[in-house]
Amino acid sequence: MTNWLDVAHEVAATLRSDAADRDRANQPPAKEVELLRQSGLLNVADWAQQQRIGRIIGAADANTGHLLGYHYLQIWRSGLFDAQFTVHPDQFWAGVSNPLDAALELTPDGNGGYTLNGRKTFATGAAVADRLVVSATRTDNGEKLTFLLDGKADGITYLDDWDNIGQRLTASGGVNFENVQVSEILGVQPANEEPRLSLAAIGFQLVLAQLYVAIAEGALAEAADYTRTKTRPWFVSGVEAATEDPYIVVAYGEMVSQTRAAGLLADEAARQLHEASELGRNLTPAKRGEVAVTISEAKVVSTKLVNEVTSRIFEQVGARGTAAKYGVDRFWRNARTLTLHDPVVYKAREVGEHFLTGARPAHTGYS
C-alpha cells in the first residue's frame, strides 16, 4: 500500500531543489503538473491526506501546492452535486468560475446541450488542466449551471497573460470560450441558500488558508537552513554562531509557534468542512454557518501570519541572504499576491459579527 505522505515528501524535495530557479524562469507549470501526475498524488482521495499533502507540497513550492489544492477542491466540489461523473486516473483538474468576472453565457443548442461563450480574466491552473469545472449562466432563463469540460476542447483559448509578482507558475491567466460545446452538466446552483452546494465557496477559502500556512512553513524551513549554514552572528553579539544569538533564537521561536497555531486552526477548519460535506442534504444552515466562521478565523490568522513570517525571515538571514540566487523573496511575493485574493478584513468582520450577534456569513462566491 502506497504511503502517500512519503511520496509527497519526495515530490516536495524535488520541487524545493530548484524552486528559486523555476520562479525566475517563469514558465507554464507543465513539468510541475507532470511531476504530480507521475507521482500519483493527483489520485489521492482521502480528505485528511489531501490536507497534509497540500501543506507538504505548498511548503516546498507555493505554486504547485496551489495547483494541487485546487485540483483536490474541484473534484470534491463536483461531488457536492447529485450528478454522476467520472474521475479518470492521473488527470489534473482546474476550474473557471471567478465570481466577480462577467458571467459566461450558455445558450441551449436545441439538442439537449449548450454552447458556451465568454471570457474570464483569470483561472488558476486551467491552461495546463485535463478537466475543467466551469460555471456559466443560461441565456434563456438565467439559471447558473456548473459543468465539466475537456481542458483542450475546441473553442477554448488560454490567454497566457498572468504576469504578477507572485504565484508566477500557476498558469492563472485569462480564458476565452468561443462556441464551446457543453453537455456534461453537474447541476444548477440554486438561487436560495442551499447549504451543501454553497460549501464550495468556503472550500476555496480553506485551500487558501492551508496554503498560507504552508508558505510560512516553507519560508521558515528555508530561512532556518540559511541561518544554520550561512548567517554570521553580529560582531557585538558575543556568540560564535547565529544559532546562538538570543534575538535570532527568540524570533524563530515566535514564528514557529505562531505558524503551528495557525496550522492547527486550519486543520480544524478542514475537519469541520469535511464533516459538513459528509452530512449531505442533512446539512443545516446553522451548521454551515459555524463551519464558515471557523474557516474565516483560519483565513484571518493565516493571512496575518504568512505576511509577517515571509517578511520577518529577512532579519534572520541577514543582508547576504537577499542575493537573487537564494530566491528568499519568492515566499513574500507569493504570500503578498495570494493574500490579496479577497479582502481579509471582510473575513474578520464575519467572525466579529458572529461573535457579537450570532449572525452567519452570507452565502456569496467568497463566503
Side-chain angles (χ1 to χ4, degrees), residues 136-152:
T137 301
R138 289 180 57 161
T139 56
D140 56 339
N141 62 13
E143 283 185 336
K144 188 172 184 179
L145 303 184
T146 299
F147 49 92
L148 300 178
L149 286 176
D150 184 327
K152 304 299 185 289

Side-chain angles (χ1 to χ4, degrees), residues 144-336:
K144 188 172 184 179
L145 303 184
T146 299
F147 49 92
L148 300 178
L149 286 176
D150 184 327
K152 304 299 185 289
D154 290 341
I156 302 178
T157 302
Y158 299 106
L159 305 179
D160 191 26
D161 54 358
W162 178 253
D163 188 27
N164 292 45
I165 64 170
Q167 295 302 97
R168 292 157 59 83
L169 312 183
T170 56
S172 290
V175 187
N176 191 68
F177 299 91
E178 185 174 358
N179 297 324
V180 179
Q181 297 303 302
V182 175
S183 60
E184 198 170 354
I185 305 298
L186 290 173
V188 179
Q189 296 189 20
N192 63 342
E193 296 189 351
E194 202 285 326
R196 187 164 187 260
L197 286 178
S198 73
L199 290 177
I202 57 176
F204 279 98
Q205 297 296 312
L206 174 65
V207 171
L208 292 173
Q210 289 279 36
L211 186 55
Y212 298 168
V213 174
I215 294 173
E217 292 172 337
L220 282 170
E222 187 135 339
D225 181 65
Y226 187 96
T227 298
R228 295 185 192 105
T229 59
K230 296 182 176 66
T231 300
R232 293 181 296 191
W234 190 237
F235 70 97
V236 297
S237 65
V239 299
E240 295 184 0
T243 53
E244 299 171 353
D245 186 314
Y247 298 110
I248 290 177
V249 172
V250 166
Y252 276 112
E254 290 175 344
M255 290 189 289
V256 168
S257 299
Q258 292 162 352
T259 301
R260 179 164 173 75
L264 290 171
L265 178 56
D267 287 341
E268 171 60 15
R271 186 195 66 78
Q272 289 188 24
L273 181 59
H274 180 60
E275 182 181 83
S277 176
E278 290 296 292
L279 288 174
R281 299 297 174 182
N282 293 320
L283 177 63
T284 64
K287 175 65 174 176
R288 193 269 185 195
E290 292 292 337
V291 176
V293 169
T294 303
I295 291 176
S296 289
E297 291 170 346
K299 188 86 179 296
V300 169
V301 170
S302 61
T303 297
K304 182 176 181 180
L305 166 83
V306 73
N307 285 325
E308 178 179 334
V309 166
T310 56
S311 177
R312 195 177 179 188
I313 57 170
F314 287 100
E315 299 166 14
Q316 319 318 318
V317 300
R320 292 188 304 160
T322 64
K325 64 182 178 180
Y326 300 122
V328 178
D329 61 303
R330 73 185 185 276
F331 295 102
W332 179 85
R333 288 187 287 103
N334 290 337
R336 188 65 279 185

Side-chain angles (χ1 to χ4, degrees), residues 65-84:
H66 193 176
L67 294 171
L68 183 59
Y70 272 14
H71 164 80
Y72 291 146
L73 177 77
Q74 296 296 349
I75 296 174
W76 166 81
R77 169 195 176 197
S78 299
L80 296 176
F81 294 91
D82 292 328
Q84 297 294 315

